[in-house]
Amino acid sequence: MLRRTLAAILLVVLGAAAGLALHLGTAKGDTMFAGARPDYLGVKGGRLAPPKRTPNCVSSQAEPADAGHAIAPIAFRGSTPEAIAAARKAVESMRRATVIRHEANYLYAEFKSRLMGYVDDVEFTYDEKAGVLHVRSASRLGRRDFGVNRARVEALRSRIAQRAAA
């Protein structure tokens, strides 16, 4: 009896995994893990949206005392168009990135995870006076990101610095 029950549970789990694999393998566009595109993104009063309460978001405009969310802005010397163009080139050089909006002082891109198709929203705005690109990177769904958003911003920082030095 116990063997049959365990076998039935195993078949259900394998069936669910096969269905999920089929969905992910044949889905065109967004998967069920993409989530809806937020409507609160953008620059308002010179600021990007505040960080989410969950730990899967980093922002250079977060309070410095908020170590979980705060990250340094990206230093850049140049004009606003040059800074946003450098950010765009850095984004486009990374895998599974799609630029959604490119405006005079704003860039918005989505990064999709390889396996499950989770989407992270990444935004930039340039403060020409301070010579910094402010950045915000946040997962749409879930609570934890295992440091993916922070690591992404650091990779973007490195790519932008390489382009500025060239």
Side-chain angles (χ1 to χ4, degrees):
M1 178 70 171
L2 180 60
R3 266 188 155 162
R4 284 187 180 170
T5 303
L6 290 175
I9 290 171
L10 180 62
L11 284 174
V12 168
V13 169
L14 288 174
L20 180 60
L22 180 63
H23 169 74
L24 293 173
T26 60
K28 295 199 176 9
D30 290 340
T31 68
M32 64 183 168
F33 300 110
R37 187 173 288 151
D39 59 2
Y40 54 82
L41 299 180
V43 181
K44 294 170 184 91
R47 298 190 61 83
L48 299 170
K52 296 167 59 176
R53 294 184 190 274
T54 55
N56 57 3
C57 176
V58 294
S59 173
S60 62
Q61 293 179 325
E63 292 298 321
D66 183 0
H69 293 113
I71 194 162
I74 299 169
F76 189 89
R77 295 288 175 212
S79 67
T80 299
E82 291 170 331
I84 298 300
R88 182 177 183 134
K89 285 181 183 175
V91 165
E92 289 176 337
S93 73
M94 297 179 77
R95 292 183 180 174
R96 295 178 300 281
T98 304
V99 172
I100 304 300
R101 265 177 42 206
H102 180 165
E103 298 171 358
N105 190 28
Y106 179 71
L107 182 73
Y108 167 44
E110 294 175 344
F111 285 79
K112 188 179 285 192
S113 71
R114 184 173 54 113
L115 182 61
M116 302 297 275
Y118 286 99
V119 176
D120 295 341
D121 299 295
V122 180
E123 304 176 277
F124 297 88
T125 188
Y126 186 58
D127 181 343
E128 196 166 332
K129 197 176 210 179
V132 296
L133 269 163
H134 283 291
V135 60
R136 179 184 184 274
S137 184
S139 302
R140 280 189 194 164
L141 300 177
R143 181 162 176 75
R144 303 254 180 242
D145 71 345
F146 304 102
V148 169
N149 284 292
R150 187 172 295 279
R152 178 181 299 114
V153 170
E154 293 305 334
L156 288 164
R157 179 190 316 280
S158 175
R159 289 169 191 238
I160 291 168
Q162 287 172 357
R163 281 178 169 52

Short mmCIF file of all heavy atoms in Angstrom, two decimals, residues 46-91:
data_model
loop_
_atom_site.label_atom_id
_atom_site.label_comp_id
_atom_site.label_asym_id
_atom_site.label_seq_id
_atom_site.Cartn_x
_atom_site.Cartn_y
_atom_site.Cartn_z
N GLY A 46 13.44 63.45 -10.32
CA GLY A 46 14.86 63.11 -10.33
C GLY A 46 15.20 61.81 -9.63
O GLY A 46 16.37 61.48 -9.47
N ARG A 47 14.17 61.07 -9.21
CA ARG A 47 14.41 59.83 -8.46
C ARG A 47 13.73 58.65 -9.12
O ARG A 47 12.65 58.77 -9.69
CB ARG A 47 13.92 59.98 -7.02
CG ARG A 47 14.67 61.08 -6.25
CD ARG A 47 14.36 61.08 -4.79
NE ARG A 47 14.71 59.87 -4.10
CZ ARG A 47 15.92 59.57 -3.62
NH1 ARG A 47 16.92 60.41 -3.81
NH2 ARG A 47 16.13 58.45 -2.97
N LEU A 48 14.40 57.51 -9.01
CA LEU A 48 13.81 56.25 -9.44
C LEU A 48 12.87 55.77 -8.35
O LEU A 48 12.86 56.32 -7.24
CB LEU A 48 14.91 55.21 -9.68
CG LEU A 48 15.93 55.58 -10.77
CD1 LEU A 48 17.11 54.61 -10.74
CD2 LEU A 48 15.27 55.59 -12.13
N ALA A 49 12.08 54.77 -8.64
CA ALA A 49 11.17 54.21 -7.63
C ALA A 49 11.96 53.78 -6.40
O ALA A 49 13.11 53.33 -6.52
CB ALA A 49 10.41 53.02 -8.22
N PRO A 50 11.37 53.90 -5.22
CA PRO A 50 12.08 53.44 -4.03
C PRO A 50 12.25 51.92 -4.06
O PRO A 50 11.51 51.22 -4.78
CB PRO A 50 11.17 53.86 -2.87
CG PRO A 50 9.85 54.16 -3.49
CD PRO A 50 10.06 54.46 -4.93
N PRO A 51 13.22 51.39 -3.32
CA PRO A 51 13.41 49.94 -3.33
C PRO A 51 12.19 49.24 -2.74
O PRO A 51 11.48 49.78 -1.90
CB PRO A 51 14.64 49.72 -2.45
CG PRO A 51 14.89 50.98 -1.75
CD PRO A 51 14.17 52.07 -2.47
N LYS A 52 11.97 48.02 -3.23
CA LYS A 52 10.89 47.20 -2.68
C LYS A 52 11.25 46.82 -1.24
O LYS A 52 12.40 46.88 -0.84
CB LYS A 52 10.74 45.93 -3.53
CG LYS A 52 10.32 46.22 -4.95
CD LYS A 52 10.48 45.02 -5.87
CE LYS A 52 9.67 43.85 -5.39
NZ LYS A 52 9.72 42.70 -6.29
N ARG A 53 10.27 46.40 -0.49
CA ARG A 53 10.53 45.98 0.89
C ARG A 53 11.25 44.63 0.96
O ARG A 53 11.88 44.31 1.93
CB ARG A 53 9.23 45.90 1.67
CG ARG A 53 8.57 47.24 1.87
CD ARG A 53 7.32 47.10 2.74
NE ARG A 53 6.54 48.31 2.76
CZ ARG A 53 6.75 49.32 3.59
NH1 ARG A 53 7.73 49.27 4.45
NH2 ARG A 53 5.99 50.38 3.55
N THR A 54 11.12 43.85 -0.09
CA THR A 54 11.75 42.53 -0.12
C THR A 54 13.25 42.68 -0.41
O THR A 54 13.68 43.67 -0.99
CB THR A 54 11.08 41.65 -1.19
OG1 THR A 54 11.14 42.33 -2.45
CG2 THR A 54 9.64 41.34 -0.84
N PRO A 55 14.04 41.67 -0.05
CA PRO A 55 15.49 41.77 -0.22
C PRO A 55 15.99 41.52 -1.64
O PRO A 55 17.19 41.43 -1.85
CB PRO A 55 16.03 40.72 0.74
CG PRO A 55 14.95 39.75 0.91
CD PRO A 55 13.65 40.50 0.74
N ASN A 56 15.10 41.44 -2.63
CA ASN A 56 15.53 41.17 -4.00
C ASN A 56 15.55 42.44 -4.85
O ASN A 56 15.16 42.43 -6.01
CB ASN A 56 14.65 40.09 -4.64
CG ASN A 56 13.17 40.45 -4.63
OD1 ASN A 56 12.78 41.52 -4.19
ND2 ASN A 56 12.35 39.55 -5.12
N CYS A 57 16.04 43.52 -4.27
CA CYS A 57 16.09 44.81 -4.95
C CYS A 57 17.28 45.61 -4.41
O CYS A 57 17.54 45.61 -3.21
CB CYS A 57 14.79 45.58 -4.69
SG CYS A 57 14.75 47.24 -5.38
N VAL A 58 17.98 46.28 -5.33
CA VAL A 58 19.04 47.21 -4.92
C VAL A 58 18.80 48.54 -5.63
O VAL A 58 18.26 48.58 -6.73
CB VAL A 58 20.46 46.69 -5.24
CG1 VAL A 58 20.79 45.46 -4.41
CG2 VAL A 58 20.65 46.41 -6.71
N SER A 59 19.19 49.62 -4.97
CA SER A 59 19.02 50.95 -5.54
C SER A 59 20.12 51.88 -5.04
O SER A 59 20.43 51.89 -3.85
CB SER A 59 17.66 51.53 -5.16
OG SER A 59 17.56 52.88 -5.58
N SER A 60 20.66 52.67 -5.96
CA SER A 60 21.68 53.65 -5.56
C SER A 60 21.04 54.85 -4.88
O SER A 60 21.75 55.70 -4.33
CB SER A 60 22.49 54.10 -6.77
OG SER A 60 21.66 54.74 -7.71
N GLN A 61 19.71 54.93 -4.88
CA GLN A 61 19.03 56.02 -4.20
C GLN A 61 18.37 55.56 -2.90
O GLN A 61 17.66 56.34 -2.27
CB GLN A 61 17.99 56.65 -5.14
CG GLN A 61 18.66 57.35 -6.31
CD GLN A 61 17.68 57.98 -7.28
OE1 GLN A 61 16.60 57.46 -7.51
NE2 GLN A 61 18.06 59.11 -7.86
N ALA A 62 18.67 54.34 -2.48
CA ALA A 62 18.19 53.86 -1.18
C ALA A 62 18.98 54.57 -0.09
O ALA A 62 20.09 55.06 -0.32
CB ALA A 62 18.39 52.35 -1.06
N GLU A 63 18.41 54.64 1.09
CA GLU A 63 19.11 55.24 2.23
C GLU A 63 20.40 54.45 2.49
O GLU A 63 20.37 53.22 2.51
CB GLU A 63 18.23 55.21 3.48
CG GLU A 63 17.02 56.12 3.39
CD GLU A 63 17.41 57.58 3.25
OE1 GLU A 63 18.39 58.01 3.89
OE2 GLU A 63 16.74 58.28 2.47
N PRO A 64 21.53 55.13 2.68
CA PRO A 64 22.81 54.43 2.91
C PRO A 64 22.76 53.47 4.10
O PRO A 64 23.45 52.45 4.10
CB PRO A 64 23.81 55.56 3.16
CG PRO A 64 23.21 56.74 2.47
CD PRO A 64 21.72 56.58 2.59
N ALA A 65 21.94 53.77 5.09
CA ALA A 65 21.84 52.89 6.25
C ALA A 65 21.12 51.58 5.92
O ALA A 65 21.20 50.62 6.69
CB ALA A 65 21.11 53.61 7.38
N ASP A 66 20.43 51.53 4.80
CA ASP A 66 19.70 50.34 4.38
C ASP A 66 20.66 49.44 3.58
O ASP A 66 20.62 49.39 2.36
CB ASP A 66 18.50 50.76 3.53
CG ASP A 66 17.64 49.59 3.09
OD1 ASP A 66 17.96 48.43 3.43
OD2 ASP A 66 16.64 49.85 2.38
N ALA A 67 21.53 48.74 4.30
CA ALA A 67 22.59 47.95 3.66
C ALA A 67 22.05 46.88 2.73
O ALA A 67 22.71 46.52 1.75
CB ALA A 67 23.47 47.32 4.73
N GLY A 68 20.86 46.37 2.98
CA GLY A 68 20.29 45.33 2.13
C GLY A 68 19.91 45.83 0.75
O GLY A 68 19.95 45.08 -0.23
N HIS A 69 19.53 47.11 0.66
CA HIS A 69 19.08 47.67 -0.60
C HIS A 69 20.07 48.66 -1.22
O HIS A 69 20.08 48.82 -2.44
CB HIS A 69 17.73 48.38 -0.43
CG HIS A 69 16.62 47.45 -0.10
ND1 HIS A 69 15.99 47.46 1.13
CD2 HIS A 69 16.01 46.47 -0.82
CE1 HIS A 69 15.05 46.53 1.13
NE2 HIS A 69 15.05 45.92 -0.04
N ALA A 70 20.86 49.32 -0.42
CA ALA A 70 21.74 50.38 -0.92
C ALA A 70 22.90 49.81 -1.72
O ALA A 70 23.48 48.78 -1.37
CB ALA A 70 22.27 51.20 0.24
N ILE A 71 23.19 50.49 -2.82
CA ILE A 71 24.34 50.16 -3.65
C ILE A 71 24.87 51.49 -4.18
O ILE A 71 24.09 52.43 -4.39
CB ILE A 71 23.96 49.19 -4.79
CG1 ILE A 71 25.21 48.59 -5.43
CG2 ILE A 71 23.05 49.83 -5.81
CD1 ILE A 71 24.94 47.34 -6.25
N ALA A 72 26.17 51.59 -4.38
CA ALA A 72 26.76 52.85 -4.85
C ALA A 72 26.31 53.16 -6.27
O ALA A 72 26.14 52.24 -7.08
CB ALA A 72 28.28 52.75 -4.80
N PRO A 73 26.11 54.44 -6.58
CA PRO A 73 25.81 54.80 -7.96
C PRO A 73 27.04 54.53 -8.83
O PRO A 73 28.13 54.31 -8.33
CB PRO A 73 25.48 56.29 -7.89
CG PRO A 73 26.12 56.77 -6.65
CD PRO A 73 26.18 55.61 -5.70
N ILE A 74 26.85 54.57 -10.13
CA ILE A 74 27.93 54.28 -11.07
C ILE A 74 28.54 55.61 -11.53
O ILE A 74 27.86 56.44 -12.12
CB ILE A 74 27.39 53.49 -12.28
CG1 ILE A 74 26.80 52.15 -11.79
CG2 ILE A 74 28.48 53.27 -13.31
CD1 ILE A 74 26.01 51.40 -12.84
N ALA A 75 29.82 55.78 -11.23
CA ALA A 75 30.51 57.02 -11.62
C ALA A 75 30.61 57.10 -13.14
O ALA A 75 30.92 56.10 -13.80
CB ALA A 75 31.90 57.05 -10.99
N PHE A 76 30.35 58.29 -13.66
CA PHE A 76 30.46 58.51 -15.10
C PHE A 76 30.70 59.99 -15.34
O PHE A 76 29.96 60.84 -14.82
CB PHE A 76 29.19 58.07 -15.83
CG PHE A 76 29.34 58.07 -17.33
CD1 PHE A 76 29.80 56.95 -17.99
CD2 PHE A 76 29.05 59.21 -18.07
CE1 PHE A 76 29.97 56.94 -19.37
CE2 PHE A 76 29.22 59.22 -19.45
CZ PHE A 76 29.68 58.09 -20.09
N ARG A 77 31.70 60.30 -16.13
CA ARG A 77 31.97 61.68 -16.51
C ARG A 77 31.59 61.87 -17.96
O ARG A 77 32.09 61.17 -18.84
CB ARG A 77 33.45 62.03 -16.31
CG ARG A 77 33.87 61.97 -14.87
CD ARG A 77 33.30 63.14 -14.09
NE ARG A 77 33.63 62.99 -12.69
CZ ARG A 77 32.87 63.41 -11.71
NH1 ARG A 77 31.73 64.01 -11.96
NH2 ARG A 77 33.25 63.27 -10.48
N GLY A 78 30.69 62.78 -18.21
CA GLY A 78 30.25 63.04 -19.57
C GLY A 78 28.86 63.63 -19.55
O GLY A 78 28.30 63.95 -18.50
N SER A 79 28.30 63.76 -20.73
CA SER A 79 26.97 64.34 -20.85
C SER A 79 25.91 63.29 -20.56
O SER A 79 26.19 62.09 -20.52
CB SER A 79 26.78 64.88 -22.27
OG SER A 79 26.75 63.80 -23.19
N THR A 80 24.69 63.76 -20.38
CA THR A 80 23.58 62.85 -20.12
C THR A 80 23.39 61.86 -21.27
O THR A 80 23.28 60.66 -21.01
CB THR A 80 22.29 63.65 -19.85
OG1 THR A 80 22.50 64.45 -18.67
CG2 THR A 80 21.10 62.74 -19.63
N PRO A 81 23.38 62.32 -22.54
CA PRO A 81 23.23 61.34 -23.63
C PRO A 81 24.34 60.30 -23.65
O PRO A 81 24.10 59.13 -23.92
CB PRO A 81 23.25 62.20 -24.90
CG PRO A 81 22.82 63.56 -24.46
CD PRO A 81 23.34 63.70 -23.06
N GLU A 82 25.57 60.72 -23.33
CA GLU A 82 26.69 59.77 -23.30
C GLU A 82 26.52 58.74 -22.19
O GLU A 82 26.79 57.56 -22.38
CB GLU A 82 28.02 60.52 -23.11
CG GLU A 82 28.43 61.37 -24.30
CD GLU A 82 29.60 62.28 -23.99
OE1 GLU A 82 29.78 62.69 -22.82
OE2 GLU A 82 30.34 62.60 -24.94
N ALA A 83 26.06 59.20 -21.03
CA ALA A 83 25.88 58.30 -19.89
C ALA A 83 24.79 57.27 -20.17
O ALA A 83 24.98 56.07 -19.91
CB ALA A 83 25.54 59.10 -18.63
N ILE A 84 23.66 57.72 -20.69
CA ILE A 84 22.56 56.79 -20.97
C ILE A 84 22.95 55.84 -22.10
O ILE A 84 22.63 54.65 -22.08
CB ILE A 84 21.26 57.57 -21.29
CG1 ILE A 84 20.83 58.40 -20.05
CG2 ILE A 84 20.15 56.63 -21.72
CD1 ILE A 84 20.54 57.59 -18.79
N ALA A 85 23.69 56.34 -23.09
CA ALA A 85 24.17 55.48 -24.18
C ALA A 85 25.15 54.42 -23.65
O ALA A 85 25.11 53.26 -24.07
CB ALA A 85 24.83 56.31 -25.28
N ALA A 86 26.02 54.81 -22.73
CA ALA A 86 26.96 53.85 -22.13
C ALA A 86 26.21 52.79 -21.34
O ALA A 86 26.56 51.60 -21.40
CB ALA A 86 27.95 54.58 -21.23
N ALA A 87 25.19 53.21 -20.60
CA ALA A 87 24.39 52.24 -19.85
C ALA A 87 23.69 51.28 -20.82
O ALA A 87 23.65 50.07 -20.59
CB ALA A 87 23.36 52.96 -18.98
N ARG A 88 23.16 51.82 -21.91
CA ARG A 88 22.47 50.97 -22.89
C ARG A 88 23.42 49.95 -23.50
O ARG A 88 23.09 48.76 -23.62
CB ARG A 88 21.83 51.81 -23.98
CG ARG A 88 21.06 50.95 -24.97
CD ARG A 88 20.34 51.73 -26.04
NE ARG A 88 19.61 50.80 -26.87
CZ ARG A 88 18.36 50.96 -27.25
NH1 ARG A 88 17.68 52.03 -26.88
NH2 ARG A 88 17.77 50.06 -28.01
N LYS A 89 24.61 50.39 -23.88
CA LYS A 89 25.59 49.46 -24.46
C LYS A 89 25.98 48.37 -23.47
O LYS A 89 26.14 47.21 -23.84
CB LYS A 89 26.82 50.22 -24.93
CG LYS A 89 26.58 50.98 -26.22
CD LYS A 89 27.81 51.71 -26.68
CE LYS A 89 27.48 52.50 -27.93
NZ LYS A 89 28.59 53.32 -28.39
N ALA A 90 26.14 48.76 -22.20
CA ALA A 90 26.48 47.77 -21.17
C ALA A 90 25.35 46.76 -21.01
O ALA A 90 25.59 45.55 -20.92
CB ALA A 90 26.77 48.48 -19.85
N VAL A 91 24.11 47.24 -20.98
CA VAL A 91 22.96 46.35 -20.85
C VAL A 91 22.89 45.40 -22.04
O VAL A 91 22.73 44.19 -21.89
CB VAL A 91 21.64 47.16 -20.72
CG1 VAL A 91 20.42 46.29 -20.95
CG2 VAL A 91 21.56 47.83 -19.35
#
